[in-house]
């Protein structure tokens, strides 16, 4: 078995600056067609909190000027607001014609609340830009949309649902952006079922309302407040934040519950779910266009307002995010210079430096700079990272054991990738393990001066022959300090081990100390789920008997077969230094910790019992709610 320590990714793998010479990388431009102007008044609207000037409109000339600023570079343009349809049909038609005439514009989308969407709008779009991608803002079912109201305070859900039915009749397929607020917590399954019930919906993106820092109401003109603003003021609760705010941990649990339902109900065959899909792609080593998981972040995202203000991502606070004015900037070089001197972007990038040493960086991609900035301003950077790790852990479990979704709720078995982590022929080892009469050639066993057993007898990580318990040299190949753990897994649990190490301190050598560990290679997904649950139970039971200098962790990883290139999900049981303790204290206590863990392993067996972690409370829809949902989505 081969393996080395993980390589540090440079900052560029998490956040790429805009490079004028790199014309192949796309930029996204958000056109605030009417600024903050909107025909409804959602209580949590972040755009209106900016108090950006509304009323005026972005025109075709400004769109043309944008394309001139980025010559030859692919542009993805989003018509946004406020509500873009309030610009009126004639004006939107001019903008669409201009976008259609620009060869560098590779994608155009529009995010709308759907209230104004009718057949006339769809005829116009189909005639001028039939490839337009429409996104609808809808927070799940009617109860979930409690914060989305008109200025009269009345819910807009019925009108948006009607727009979705119209889109289906016309053969459109659209995405939905749904804010996760307390009105949907504990109801992820019902909410996703409801959205999936609309024939027009082929994508759902659940976005968080991390608004705990919102203390005051949105500014309003005039002395008489509309009903919507009175509702908003009633929802403000002081230091604990507004009634629509959710915590990062609540959001993570909601996303996991929705992902479990997405897989279990088979929605994955026809509906894209975010942030689940981007998490899965990153776990599989693939790219994604979602900036929260990509390195094309704020330097590649621009926002234009009707008054000509050009700035970075619209989720960043304004006016701090403003870079320049559209009619005063000469070209990309000036934009790059403005980005490099903008304090807000520099602060955001600085917050991501901690990501360069995080084990989750490849799967996480660093997250959202704007959210990181807000969390940091509130003095709470850790909860954001904790939620990202929690979400990734749960989705990694679902990937490894999709038929056993309970693993998503385990908080002990976590993603701990080992890069690289490979074996010459995984299939051959599995086949030999279960066949006593298989051919087993002699192994090359050499022992280093520090106790390493490998093919060359040297300290550090080197090639080692892959043996099974029926091999005559099996006992010799297992380093003494880890034998009790290997025996518990192979003899007691009848599982395959693909790796083991007793731990090495390497005094006098320029090598990092190695931890004590055992790697488990499950034969199939069911065995994987049972082994993961048993490891959670065993480690939980052993925790109280562990010396403070040692902690036990269980990691999910992937093992690559060098012969076929295929990967297999594996589980790694590792004993590591406890918090606040160094390696000398660890090696003094690791044998005592090993005895406690081995005893706990011998007291457990892989079974269908699940793990020790509690599953969340899930509220099932009542029969009335189910009937209402069915009638509304047909």
């Amino acid at each position: 078995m081969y393996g080395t320590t993980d390589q540090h990714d440079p900052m560029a793998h998490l956040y790429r600056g805009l490079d004028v010479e790199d014309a192949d990388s796309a930029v996204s431009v958000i056109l605030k067609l009417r600024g903050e102007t909107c025909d409804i008044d959602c209580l949590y609207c972040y755009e209106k909190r900016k108090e950006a000037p509304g009323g005026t409109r972005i025109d075709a000339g400004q769109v043309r000027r944008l394309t001139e600023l980025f010559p030859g570079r692919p542009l993805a343009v989003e018509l946004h607001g406020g509500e873009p349809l309030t610009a009126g049909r004639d004006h939107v038609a001019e903008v669409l014609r201009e976008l259609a005439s620009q060869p560098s514009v590779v994608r155009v989308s529009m995010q709308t609340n759907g209230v104004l969407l009718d057949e006339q709008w769809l005829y116009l779009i189909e005639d001028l830009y039939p490839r337009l991608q429409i996104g609808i803002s809808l927070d799940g079912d009617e109860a979930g949309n409690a914060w989305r109201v008109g200025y009269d305070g009345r819910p807009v859900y019925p009108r948006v649902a009607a727009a979705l039915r119209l889109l289906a009749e016309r053969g459109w397929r659209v995405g939905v952006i749904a804010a996760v607020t307390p009105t949907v917590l504990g109801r992820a399954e019902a909410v996703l079922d409801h959205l999936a019930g609309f024939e027009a919906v082929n994508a759902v993106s659940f976005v968080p309302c991390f608004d705990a820092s919102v203390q005051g109401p949105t500014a309003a003109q005039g002395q008489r407040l509309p009903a919507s603003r009175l509702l908003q003021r009633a929802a403000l609760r002081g230091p604990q934040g507004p009634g629509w705010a959710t915590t990062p941990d609540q959001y993570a649990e909601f996303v996991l519950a929705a992902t479990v339902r997405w897989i279990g109900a088979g929605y994955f065959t026809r509906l894209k779910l975010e942030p689940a899909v981007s998490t899965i792609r990153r776990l599989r080593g693939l790219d994604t266009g979602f900036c929260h998981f990509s390195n094309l972040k704020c330097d590649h995202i621009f926002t234009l307002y009707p008054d000509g203000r050009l700035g970075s991502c619209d989720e960043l606070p304004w006016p701090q995010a403003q870079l320049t004015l559209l009619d005063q900037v000469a070209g990309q070089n000036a934009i790059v210079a403005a980005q490099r001197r903008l304090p807000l972007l520099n602060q955001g990038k600085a917050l991501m430096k901690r990501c360069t040493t995080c084990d989750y960086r490849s799967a996480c991609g660093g997250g959202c700079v704007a959210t990181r900035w807000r969390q940091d301003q509130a003095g709470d950077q850790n909860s954001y990272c904790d939620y990202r790790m929690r979400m990734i852990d749960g989705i990694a479990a679902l990937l490894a054991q999709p038929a056993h979704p309970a693993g998503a709720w385990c908080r002990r078995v976590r993603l701990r990738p080992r890069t690289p982590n490979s074996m010459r022929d995984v299939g051959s080892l599995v086949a030999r393990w279960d066949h006593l009469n298989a051919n087993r050639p002699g192994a090359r066993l050499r022992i280093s001066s520090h106790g390493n057993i490998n093919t060359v007898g040297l300290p550090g990580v080197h090639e080692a022959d892959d043996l099974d318990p029926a091999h005559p040299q099996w006992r010799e190949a297992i380093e003494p300090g880890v034998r009790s753990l290997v025996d518990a897994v192979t003899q007691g649990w009848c599982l395959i081990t693909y790796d083991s190490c007793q731990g090495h301190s390497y005094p006098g050598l320029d090598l990092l100390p190695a931890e004590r560990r055992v790697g488990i290679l499950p034969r199939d997904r069911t065995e994987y789920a049972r082994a993961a649950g048993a490891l959670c139970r065993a480690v939980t039971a052993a925790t109280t008997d562990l010396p403070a200098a040692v902690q036990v962790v269980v990691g999910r990883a992937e093992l690559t077969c060098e012969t076929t290139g295929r990967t297999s999900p594996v589980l790694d049981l590792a004993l590591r230094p406890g918090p606040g303790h160094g390696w000398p204290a660890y090696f003094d206590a690791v044998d005592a910790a090993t005895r406690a863990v081995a005893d706990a392993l011998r007291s457990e067996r892989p079974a269908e019992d699940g793990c020790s972690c509690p599953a969340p409370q899930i509220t099932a829809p009542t029969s009335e709610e189910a009937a209402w949902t069915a009638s509304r989505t047909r």
Side-chain angles (χ1 to χ4, degrees), residues 312-353:
S312 192
C313 172
D314 68 333
E315 292 189 34
L316 288 165
W318 282 69
Q320 299 99 309
Q322 182 176 332
L323 294 167
T324 183
L325 293 173
L326 186 63
D327 60 0
Q328 296 180 7
V329 62
Q332 282 193 79
N333 285 324
I335 291 174
V336 170
Q339 287 178 330
R340 291 178 178 173
R341 63 174 177 263
L342 190 70
L344 190 64
L345 287 181
N346 290 323
Q347 291 167 15
K349 284 182 280 191
L351 291 174
M352 293 186 61
K353 287 184 179 178

Side-chain angles (χ1 to χ4, degrees), residues 78 109-114 117 132-139 160 164 167 172-178 195 198-206 270-274:
E78 182 174 8
S109 59
M110 177 176 66
Q111 190 64 34
T112 172
N113 59 44
L117 205 58
L132 181 76
Q133 299 174 7
I134 294 179
I136 300 290
S137 299
L138 187 70
D139 299 345
V160 183
L164 284 171
L167 286 162
W172 278 79
R173 295 294 178 266
V174 300
V176 166
I177 291 182
L195 292 174
F198 288 104
E199 183 182 347
V201 174
N202 66 359
V204 175
S205 179
F206 288 117
R270 60 180 180 87
L271 186 149
K272 180 182 179 183
L273 182 68
E274 289 290 9

Side-chain angles (χ1 to χ4, degrees), residues 373-401:
W373 185 90
R374 287 194 297 271
Q375 296 292 110
D376 184 67
Q377 293 296 301
D380 182 19
Q381 184 69 211
N382 290 336
S383 65
Y384 182 74
C385 294
D386 290 345
Y387 117 69
R388 300 279 293 183
M389 291 187 283
R390 175 75 192 98
M391 181 178 70
I392 291 167
D393 284 339
I395 293 177
L398 292 173
L399 274 180
Q401 51 185 83

Side-chain angles (χ1 to χ4, degrees), residues 1 19 35 43 48 65 119 203 208 228 237-238 248 268 292 335 354 360 440 451 493 507 545 564 617:
M1 178 265 166
D19 184 352
L43 276 57
K48 290 178 182 175
R65 175 63 183 141
E119 287 194 342
S228 56
R237 302 173 302 180
F268 64 90
H292 293 194
I335 291 174
R354 63 188 296 182
Y360 288 77
R440 292 176 171 84
W493 290 14
D545 297 325
T564 65
Q617 292 293 324

Side-chain angles (χ1 to χ4, degrees), residues 229-576:
R229 298 301 169 90
L230 294 175
L231 290 173
Q232 185 194 58
R233 293 192 175 197
L236 295 173
R237 302 173 302 180
Q240 65 266 44
W244 62 79
T246 50
T247 67
D249 189 63
Q250 288 172 331
Y251 175 67
E253 295 299 305
F254 181 91
V255 168
L256 290 177
T259 306
V260 168
R261 182 63 176 171
W262 179 65
I263 295 172
Y267 294 144
F268 64 90
T269 62
R270 60 180 180 87
L271 186 149
K272 180 182 179 183
L273 182 68
E274 289 290 9
V277 168
S278 288
T279 305
I280 290 169
R281 290 186 63 83
R282 291 304 301 254
L283 285 168
R284 291 299 188 213
L286 303 172
D287 290 331
T288 172
F290 192 176
C291 61
H292 293 194
F293 293 84
S294 166
N295 63 353
L296 300 182
K297 297 188 185 294
C298 300
D299 280 24
H300 287 76
I301 301 172
F302 298 90
T303 304
L304 177 66
Y305 282 91
D307 60 358
R309 288 177 300 149
L310 181 66
S312 192
C313 172
D314 68 333
E315 292 189 34
L316 288 165
W318 282 69
Q320 299 99 309
Q322 182 176 332
L323 294 167
T324 183
L325 293 173
L326 186 63
D327 60 0
Q328 296 180 7
V329 62
Q332 282 193 79
N333 285 324
I335 291 174
V336 170
Q339 287 178 330
R340 291 178 178 173
R341 63 174 177 263
L342 190 70
L344 190 64
L345 287 181
N346 290 323
Q347 291 167 15
K349 284 182 280 191
L351 291 174
M352 293 186 61
K353 287 184 179 178
R354 63 188 296 182
C355 301
T356 60
T357 57
C358 177
D359 289 340
Y360 288 77
R361 61 188 177 275
S362 295
C364 172
C368 172
V369 175
T371 306
R372 281 190 176 280
W373 185 90
R374 287 194 297 271
Q375 296 292 110
D376 184 67
Q377 293 296 301
D380 182 19
Q381 184 69 211
N382 290 336
S383 65
Y384 182 74
C385 294
D386 290 345
Y387 117 69
R388 300 279 293 183
M389 291 187 283
R390 175 75 192 98
M391 181 178 70
I392 291 167
D393 284 339
I395 293 177
L398 292 173
L399 274 180
Q401 51 185 83
H404 304 272
W409 311 118
C410 183
R411 291 178 176 263
R412 186 173 294 278
V413 186
R414 307 186 64 180
L415 179 72
R416 300 187 185 277
R418 298 170 61 184
T419 307
N421 192 31
S422 64
M423 176 180 287
R424 192 174 304 282
D425 193 340
V426 173
S428 177
L429 175 66
V430 174
R432 287 198 311 273
W433 201 283
D434 293 328
H435 293 84
L436 296 178
N437 296 325
N439 180 43
R440 292 176 171 84
R444 300 163 295 171
L445 302 181
R446 304 288 186 273
I447 303 176
S448 78
S449 58
H450 291 78
N452 308 82
I453 300 178
N454 50 48
T455 62
V456 292
L458 294 176
V461 178
H462 298 278
E463 181 183 4
D465 289 335
D466 303 310
L467 308 184
D468 62 274
H471 195 286
Q473 295 171 278
W474 167 255
R475 298 296 295 175
E476 299 173 55
I478 307 300
E479 294 172 358
V482 77
R483 280 177 186 164
S484 62
L485 300 179
V486 172
D487 287 346
V489 170
T490 58
Q491 297 176 15
W493 290 14
C494 299
L495 297 180
I496 299 172
T497 56
Y498 75 95
D499 178 39
S500 66
C501 177
Q502 71 177 6
H504 307 281
S505 60
Y506 301 128
L509 298 182
D510 189 20
L511 289 173
L512 293 175
E515 64 193 16
R516 185 164 295 182
R517 66 177 184 269
V518 177
I520 299 172
L521 172 61
R523 296 171 178 83
D524 54 41
R525 306 283 183 174
T526 297
E527 186 173 87
Y528 180 103
R530 293 176 177 177
L535 286 170
C536 176
R537 297 192 303 271
V539 172
T540 299
T543 299
T544 56
D545 297 325
L546 292 176
V550 180
Q551 62 177 334
V552 183
V553 297
V554 183
R556 303 184 193 274
E558 297 281 335
L559 176 66
T560 301
C561 178
E562 298 170 1
T563 302
T564 65
R566 291 194 292 267
T567 60
S568 303
V570 293
L571 296 162
D572 293 318
L573 174 68
L575 280 63
R576 294 181 170 180

